[in-house]
Amino acid sequence: MNLPQPLAETVASYRTLVVEGHEGIRRTQLFTQLALLGFPLRRPPGGLHHLDPTRPYRELLAAPGRFVIDGGIIGELVYGPLRHGRSRVTWIQALDLAEAVAEREGALLHLTGNEHGGVSGDDGSESAAAALAYTRVVRTLAQHVPVVSVNITPTVPDVVAEQTRHIRAPAPRQSQLRQWNSKLTVG
């Protein structure tokens, strides 16, 4: 598989890429092509940290240069509740990580394929539930980090990219205490 020119141009504008997608979607060829574009693959050592699942990812984000991270946080948000009744990752942790990726001039590459992403409705299977959960999670994270959806179909070795724009929160207002700190007298 060769990355199509539009996708290569899209990812070239980023410094960091976090690749996430449904289980069963092969990523090896994508990682090889991204490495040729100057994005070496980084993986967090040892999986999710037991106290702070995002810690290994934040440590990777502190490294210099361009790279791609094989994700796991979003997969935990999707498959944790389906398989274990809850996720080890909180929404606050996931949103903080998304903002950290955005601050590092990064994007989330959301991989989909026909066998998972094309599920319509809820047929009760884990695959259908995961597809719906991925849609919800990615839509939420897209408000904090750019998302590039990449459709990888097993029958057609082509990739189609669709980029979403993220919505940034308004700048924090100056606290009221700071407005009046020069007028505060004690005694």
Side-chain angles (χ1 to χ4, degrees):
M1 166 183 87
N2 289 326
L3 290 182
Q5 190 64 27
L7 178 60
E9 290 172 2
T10 299
V11 299
S13 65
Y14 296 108
R15 214 173 108 204
T16 307
L17 301 171
V18 177
V19 175
E20 274 288 359
H22 305 275
E23 289 182 349
I25 293 179
R26 298 191 181 259
R27 305 169 188 211
T28 307
Q29 290 180 344
L30 177 66
F31 288 138
T32 301
Q33 293 299 314
L34 290 172
L36 294 173
L37 290 174
F39 290 96
L41 175 62
R42 305 260 170 96
R43 289 194 170 124
L48 298 179
H49 188 268
H50 66 286
L51 293 176
D52 182 2
T54 60
R55 180 176 167 189
Y57 294 90
R58 286 194 322 270
E59 290 172 356
L60 287 176
L61 291 173
R66 293 173 73 172
F67 53 85
V68 61
I69 299 173
D70 189 7
I73 296 293
I74 296 172
E76 177 62 26
L77 279 173
V78 170
Y79 290 104
L82 292 175
R83 295 181 178 159
H84 309 291
R86 69 174 197 83
S87 175
R88 294 177 288 174
V89 177
T90 67
W91 275 101
I92 290 177
Q93 290 170 325
L95 295 174
D96 285 346
L97 186 65
E99 288 179 356
V101 170
E103 287 172 4
R104 198 179 190 289
E105 300 167 12
L108 170 67
L109 290 185
H110 176 225
L111 305 183
T112 62
N114 280 346
E115 69 280 1
H116 298 288
V119 175
S120 60
D122 186 9
D123 64 2
S125 71
E126 182 181 86
S127 181
L132 293 172
Y134 264 108
T135 300
R136 181 176 55 96
V137 169
V138 170
R139 185 178 35 227
T140 302
L141 293 178
Q143 297 175 36
H144 301 273
V145 66
V147 174
V148 178
S149 295
V150 182
N151 185 0
I152 301 177
T153 58
T155 56
V156 181
D158 194 20
V159 179
V160 180
E162 175 187 326
Q163 184 176 5
T164 61
R165 299 189 187 276
H166 66 285
I167 303 167
R168 301 294 273 172
R173 293 178 37 196
Q174 186 177 8
S175 93
Q176 290 179 351
L177 180 60
R178 287 188 182 166
Q179 288 176 334
W180 302 103
N181 68 358
S182 61
K183 298 179 182 180
L184 180 66
T185 18
V186 178

